[in-house]
């Protein structure tokens, strides 16, 4: 994990700095707009969080609020590294439609006190303290409390709803359910994503000693610290508390982007299936928090529109039909329309297997040219121009990459959901990393990335075959007629930290009693 940590952190700081400049710019317009708007006004206040830690917050109340009636309350914790003005445009809209809105800067960032806890117990307790304050100092209705947030604010909102029964509805946008699966999936460190978070934390806040140690252990590849890292992440994962969340009965709205390079869509899909109360799941093209961005600018935005409808129904009791619609809504990366499904399991109703036949050996430690792209940049490009990362499949060097292809499809294939790879691997070393890529390959051999995922193993006996089952990141992508799908496996990708000893080789085989394949989920037509 230690490879190139300084370079990763430097590039992450640069990306974070650019993001924060943009965020500061988007914060200016909503603030000015709100000051001259029709709401009951904006107050900037200090709220005592857990242990008395001061939290910088702003309060927006409905026009005409004079204390004679109560309004539903919505609490908005800020995203990682963003200032308290982040939500002012949406807070204004919500206040104009009859909500009291309190947005606060989470502890450890900007002017709020304390240290960064990464959604630890103090952050969860802070959310309850903010609710306490709002009920005591605003015309908020104690029986109609909601929480929402983007990214870091989404995770804190879900955790708070599991621990505070007063929270009746949640909108968790571009958040996480399983923190470890997000940045350490299949025992592989997501290097660029973690470096971006680490860099932004130092730029805009004060990481505590525990957080600093966690990032050090994460990047150092110290396997003796692996279990403590997993335990740390589980404590901060809403999925850990799903039984409490279900018991409390909050209505949960989840939204994410297919190309989220920080919190992959897979973990939200699994979490959604575990929820038993009112729930809704939406996926759209884009990267982390990019689907919500225009809404933070005060512009029309589907995610924020559906967030408002969710709260209108579950906090105000409006009969707006949101509870009668198909609860799972997807927008394909290839088309502009929405699709509705009764549940997450129905998204890939059928599947087609591509055989990974034969025996193929590849060398490690060299990037074959098949890559998952660059954090943020690649998925944003796909979102805006439908141009995912590409590779020439015929030109990929077979010394460093294993390649299998389907037949040419006579009709279009609508890939929906989670593709799964099953294969047998024999390694020459006890540790190693492989990365699988699913490509849409056109007539000239140019492959467009459909999905990918990494896989790392440790403690394997050299020369002894072992089975690998790998879920690729969930997606929605349309393969045109006349194209084929290709599975490519190599061992190096800039998105991830690899664990291949020098000179190692990986052999992929397909035993007769246990054939290898990639199962591709398809929309029922």
């Amino acid at each position: 994990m230690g490879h190139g940590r300084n370079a990763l952190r430097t590039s992450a700081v640069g990306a974070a700095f650019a993001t924060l400049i943009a965020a500061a710019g988007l914060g200016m317009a909503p603030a000015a707009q709100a000051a001259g708007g029709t709401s009951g006004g904006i107050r900037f206040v200090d709220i005592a969080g857990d242990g008395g830690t001061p939290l910088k917050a702003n309060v927006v109340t409905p026009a005409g609020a004079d204390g004679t009636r109560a309004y539903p309350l919505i609490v908005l914790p800020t995203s990682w590294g963003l200032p308290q003005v982040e939500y002012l445009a949406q807070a204004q809209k919500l206040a104009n439609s009859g909500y009291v809105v309190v947005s606060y800067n989470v502890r450890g960032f900007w002017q709020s006190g304390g240290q960064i806890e990464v959604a630890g117990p103090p952050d969860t307790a802070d959310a309850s303290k903010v609710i306490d304050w709002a009920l005591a100092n605003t015309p908020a209705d104690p029986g109609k409390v909601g929480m929402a947030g983007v990214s870091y604010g989404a995770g804190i909102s879900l955790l708070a709803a599991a621990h505070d029964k007063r929270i009746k509805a949640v909108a968790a946008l571009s958040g996480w359910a399983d923190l470890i699966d997000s940045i350490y999936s299949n025992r592989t460190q997501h290097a660029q994503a973690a470096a971006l978070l680490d860099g932004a934390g130092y730029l805009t806040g004060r990481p505590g000693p525990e957080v600093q140690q966690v990032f050090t252990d994460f990047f150092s590849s110290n396997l003796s610290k692996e279990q403590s890292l997993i335990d740390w992440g589980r404590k901060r994962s809403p999925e850990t508390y799903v039984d409490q969340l279900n018991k409390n009965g909050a209505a949960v709205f989840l939204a994410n982007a297919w190309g989220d390079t920080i919190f992959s869509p897979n973990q939200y899909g699994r979490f959604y299936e575990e929820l038993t109360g009112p729930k809704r799941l939406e996926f759209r093209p884009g990267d982390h928090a990019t689907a919500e961005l225009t809404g933070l600018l005060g512009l029309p935005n589907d995610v924020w529109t559906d967030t408002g409808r969710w709260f209108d129904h579950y906090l105000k009791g409006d009969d707006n039909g949101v509870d009668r619609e198909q609860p799972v809504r997807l927008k394909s990366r290839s088309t502009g329309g929405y699709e509705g499904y009764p549940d997450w399991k129905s998204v890939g109703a059928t599947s087609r297997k591509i055989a990974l036949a034969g025996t193929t050996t590849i060398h490690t430690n060299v990037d074959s040219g098949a890559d998952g792209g660059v954090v943020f940049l690649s998925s944003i490009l796909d979102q805006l121009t439908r141009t995912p990362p590409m590779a020439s499949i015929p030109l990929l060097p077979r010394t460093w990459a294993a390649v299998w292809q389907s037949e040419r499809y006579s009709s279009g294939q609508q890939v929906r959901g989670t593709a799964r790879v099953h294969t047998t691997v024999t390694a020459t070393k006890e540790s190693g990393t492989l990365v699988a890529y699913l490509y849409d390959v056109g007539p000239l051999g140019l492959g467009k990335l459909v999905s990918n995922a990494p896989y790392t193993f440790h403690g394997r006996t050299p020369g002894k075959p072992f089975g690998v089952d790998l879920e690729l990141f969930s997606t929605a992508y349309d393969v045109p007629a006349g194209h084929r799908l290709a599975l490519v496996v190599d061992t190096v990708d800039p998105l991830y930290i690899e664990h291949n000893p020098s000179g190692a080789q990986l052999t992929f085989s397909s035993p007769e009693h246990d054939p290898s394949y990639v199962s591709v989920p398809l929309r029922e037509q």
Side-chain angles (χ1 to χ4, degrees):
M1 276 189 240
H3 312 340
R5 183 183 183 191
N6 290 335
L8 281 169
R9 185 172 272 175
T10 301
S11 63
V13 168
F17 187 63
T19 301
L20 293 167
I21 291 175
L26 73 85
M28 294 294 289
Q33 177 188 15
T38 59
S39 77
I42 298 172
R43 288 189 290 148
F44 290 87
V45 300
D46 287 352
I47 298 175
D50 185 51
T53 299
L55 304 174
K56 296 295 182 179
N58 55 70
V59 183
V60 189
T61 53
D66 57 8
T68 60
R69 57 163 293 194
Y71 300 88
L73 168 67
I74 296 178
V75 174
L76 302 168
T78 52
S79 303
W80 183 274
L82 294 190
Q84 60 166 308
V85 296
E86 175 187 5
Y87 299 115
L88 277 182
Q90 287 302 320
Q92 175 76 66
K93 290 185 176 183
L94 288 166
N96 287 346
S97 62
Y99 293 92
V100 171
V101 185
V102 179
S103 173
Y104 70 96
N105 233 127
V106 292
R107 66 170 52 224
F109 285 101
W110 295 86
Q111 288 81 27
S112 284
Q115 297 177 318
I116 298 172
E117 300 283 347
V118 192
D123 291 301
T124 304
D126 283 345
S128 292
K129 292 290 187 180
V130 172
I131 293 172
D132 292 342
W133 183 93
L135 296 179
N137 294 277
T138 74
D141 186 335
K144 299 178 179 180
V145 178
M147 283 194 70
V150 175
S151 184
Y152 196 39
I156 290 174
S157 294
L158 287 171
L159 289 164
H163 290 86
D164 194 325
K165 295 179 181 179
R166 296 174 297 180
I167 300 169
K168 305 302 182 186
V170 174
L173 316 178
S174 289
W176 74 92
D178 185 335
L179 189 58
I180 291 300
D181 190 52
S182 296
I183 61 173
Y184 190 58
S185 63
N186 301 304
R187 304 183 78 181
T188 311
Q189 298 98 322
H190 293 217
Q192 290 185 14
L196 182 65
L197 294 173
D198 190 21
Y202 277 97
L203 264 178
T204 63
R206 299 167 300 283
E210 182 183 29
V211 173
Q212 294 182 47
Q213 187 61 50
V214 163
F215 275 108
T216 297
D217 293 340
F218 181 89
F219 284 108
S220 70
S221 294
N222 185 350
L223 285 178
S224 68
K225 300 291 186 179
E226 183 180 40
Q227 189 57 51
S228 63
L229 174 68
I230 291 171
D231 293 341
W232 177 87
R234 283 177 177 161
K235 186 184 296 185
R236 290 156 171 80
S237 297
E239 191 171 52
T240 301
Y241 311 99
V242 68
D243 290 342
Q244 291 174 231
L245 187 58
N246 288 333
K247 183 179 179 181
N248 289 349
V252 178
F253 170 47
L254 305 171
N256 203 355
W258 293 122
D260 194 320
T261 44
I262 296 181
F263 304 131
S264 72
N266 299 48
Q267 40 97 35
Y268 250 16
R270 288 193 298 269
F271 183 61
Y272 174 83
E273 288 296 314
E274 295 174 359
L275 296 171
T276 58
K279 57 184 179 179
R280 185 180 179 96
L281 176 67
E282 297 183 356
F283 285 122
R284 296 172 176 84
D287 205 311
H288 184 65
T290 63
E292 298 87 12
L293 183 60
T294 56
L296 295 178
L297 287 162
L299 301 173
N301 180 278
D302 288 355
V303 186
W304 285 104
T305 295
D306 287 347
T307 296
R309 296 177 65 230
W310 192 253
F311 286 133
D312 286 348
H313 180 75
Y314 288 103
L315 294 184
K316 286 184 178 179
D318 289 358
D319 185 15
N320 56 16
V322 73
D323 58 321
R324 297 188 295 274
E325 297 170 356
Q326 294 274 50
V328 176
R329 296 183 76 225
L330 315 178
K331 180 181 280 190
S332 169
R333 292 162 49 201
S334 309
T335 60
Y338 284 100
E339 303 165 3
Y341 299 86
D343 50 42
W344 175 240
K345 292 177 293 192
S346 300
V347 172
T350 61
S351 63
R352 174 175 290 186
K353 288 184 178 180
I354 301 170
L356 308 181
T359 299
T360 303
T361 298
I362 61 173
H363 295 259
T364 64
N365 307 112
V366 173
D367 190 340
S368 71
D371 286 323
V374 178
V375 65
F376 280 124
L377 180 61
S378 297
S379 292
I380 292 174
L381 189 63
D382 187 35
Q383 177 184 2
L384 298 177
T385 67
R386 296 179 185 166
T387 307
M390 292 183 282
S392 175
I393 305 305
L395 297 181
L396 290 175
R398 284 357 188 218
T399 301
W400 315 109
V403 180
W404 300 267
Q405 296 192 77
S406 72
E407 76 281 3
R408 201 178 303 276
Y409 297 117
S410 59
S411 60
Q413 306 293 301
Q414 295 181 310
V415 179
R416 298 290 186 274
T418 309
R420 292 173 171 83
V421 176
H422 174 74
T423 189
T424 296
V425 176
T426 305
T428 59
K429 305 289 185 179
E430 67 172 16
S431 293
T433 296
L434 59 93
V435 186
Y437 310 87
L438 187 65
Y439 282 100
D440 159 26
V441 184
L444 298 180
L446 183 64
K448 295 183 177 181
L449 188 64
V450 177
S451 185
N452 79 100
Y455 182 93
T456 294
F457 59 89
H458 297 288
R460 293 292 179 178
T461 302
K464 183 177 180 180
F466 60 94
V468 169
D469 288 287
L470 172 62
E471 284 191 353
L472 304 189
F473 298 133
S474 304
T475 194
Y477 182 96
D478 296 353
V479 179
H483 287 212
R484 63 179 82 225
L485 285 169
L487 185 79
V488 176
V489 179
D490 71 2
T491 62
V492 177
D493 189 309
L495 284 174
Y496 314 113
I497 293 176
E498 50 90 6
H499 298 261
N500 295 298
S502 179
Q505 298 178 29
L506 300 179
T507 297
F508 301 91
S509 58
S510 182
E512 185 176 348
H513 67 279
D514 186 20
S516 297
Y517 60 85
V518 54
S519 177
V520 180
L522 300 173
R523 183 186 183 190
E524 192 169 9
Q525 300 182 44

